[in-house]
Amino acid sequence: MDKFIIEGRYALSGEVSISGAKNAVLPIMAASLLWPDRYVLHNVPCLHDTLTMARLMEIIGARVVFEHNRMEIDTTTCNNPEAPYEMVKTMRASFYVLGPLAGRFGRCRVSLPGGCNWGPRPVDLHLMAMKTLGADITLDGGYIIAKGRLKGGAINFDTSSVGATGNALMAAVLAEGETVLTNAAREPEITGLARFLQKMGARIDGIGTTTLHVTGQKELHGTEEEIIPDRIEAATFLIAGAMAGDKVKINGAREDHLTALLGNLEAAGVVLKRSDEVIEVSRPSTLQPVDMTTAPYPGYPTDLQAQWIAFMTQAEGSSVVRDEIYLDRFAHVPELARLGARIRLEGNTATVEGPTELIGAPVMSTDIRASASLVLAALVARGTSEISRVYHLDRGYETIEKKFAGLGARIERVAEDYLVQKG
Ligand code: EPU
């Protein structure tokens, strides 16, 4: 296990390039399981999660070659439609193989993910979708067993779910007949998946809206795809620039994917210079408090809630940050408090009192985005912070310490000492 040592209060300047989106590439990799052929993906971020998904696909029988952000997948040799507990427990997104395996093989065995650091995270909507498509679903020894050839159906999600929409969409493209998904998620990662499926030969109408019409096909084929830039990574660097930046240029920041964040940054007094997929940001002399509530896309993402709280510790006044997607996703709050942040937490609502002079301290990562908020806070804190368990960051941010160091931050990765590991 590694930790980061960050010495705060060095202004950030220069350029940073955003990597491909983790949450876009994971379902696309799973989608390649639908049809035996060869697939080439470009701009694939080298992350723990992409390596875990590659390993899972190898267990299923695929061949994966991953070099220099290019991934070649051969799914002609797949013969084991199963996702073992050992893989799914380390990465929930492994559950994405359920739809494609059920669609291709008419049978599969996929471990149920357990809870996660911030609560239960059920998969009932995924299972509802599979049942609507005619799969016989049973639970055996912690595994979901799906059996039966799929047939089109009408799937309505009572809650917008990225993962359930992705799974249902992948399952529907080979199902016989028409499928209609209503109240479907329309995050850019789902739109990206739908476009990839179209390139594979799927027929999908309504892409980018909450109603998707799928006409089942008898055959698909291999294809090539460029993964979209990671909007959550871009947003994390935008917030870093707004907190500590002296002209930070972010390459690969797609305005159309970042509308809610950009509006909130401007409301906080941040001046953004926008041009084609490049946004320049600096810290203004004063920051205004801005309340924020998470919502499905195009609303403000839950994956940026922790970073917004870190940001608001620097605003002149109090702000209210509410998470309506994950009511318990606040493990970063007590860690930020160790740096001096003044945050009152009631249910799913955090009230942040700013401005606070943060002071470096040892803190602990608890999940990907919570860890990102600790890095942001440490960058503006007086003195040195140590962030332990940065493997959480390695799941979702490609070489984040190198990117921040390239902007002038004093950040170093060191191996955590033996005693800390034992504790
Ligand atoms: N939900 C249900 N039942 C389900 C599925 C979801 O009630 O069967 C609820 C969830 O409990 C939550 C809401 O629906 O309240 C939305 O969850 P969603 O299914 O959209 O989340 P997910 O697909 O499991 C993805 C991202 C998460 C991100 C969420 C929300 C991937 C691999 N993961 O998860 O990303 O927070 O959407 O936008 O795409 C991250 O990258 O750090 C991360 C956690």
Side-chain angles (χ1 to χ4, degrees), residues 139-163:
L139 178 68
D140 181 24
Y143 281 73
I144 294 296
I145 318 278
K147 279 191 199 148
R149 285 283 154 202
L150 304 182
K151 284 206 165 72
I155 302 171
N156 177 52
F157 297 106
D158 54 16
T159 303
S160 175
S161 163
V162 173

Side-chain angles (χ1 to χ4, degrees), residues 22-23 121-125 161-163 303 325-326 329 369:
K22 165 180 86 80
N23 291 347
R121 298 187 74 186
V123 289
D124 55 311
L125 297 173
S161 163
V162 173
D303 288 346
I325 309 282
Y326 294 118
R329 193 179 196 179
R369 311 304 170 186

Side-chain angles (χ1 to χ4, degrees), residues 321-361:
V321 179
R322 192 169 283 128
D323 201 323
E324 294 288 356
I325 309 282
Y326 294 118
L327 306 184
D328 300 319
R329 193 179 196 179
F330 289 100
H332 42 287
V333 167
E335 297 302 312
L336 288 169
R338 290 181 50 73
L339 298 169
R342 291 172 292 147
I343 305 166
R344 202 175 60 251
L345 189 58
E346 282 166 299
N348 67 336
T349 304
T351 305
V352 188
E353 299 296 338
T356 307
E357 190 197 39
L358 301 176
I359 302 167

Side-chain angles (χ1 to χ4, degrees), residues 15 20 33 51 56 62 78 107 113 143 154 162 182 188-189 192 256 286 299 302 308 312 317 325 330 355 376 414 416:
E15 293 190 27
L33 293 168
L51 296 172
L56 172 57
C78 291
R107 68 189 161 86
Y143 281 73
V162 173
T182 46
E189 294 75 21
D256 55 334
T286 55
T302 172
W308 194 259
M312 284 294 104
I325 309 282
F330 289 100
L376 294 177
V414 296
E416 209 147 355

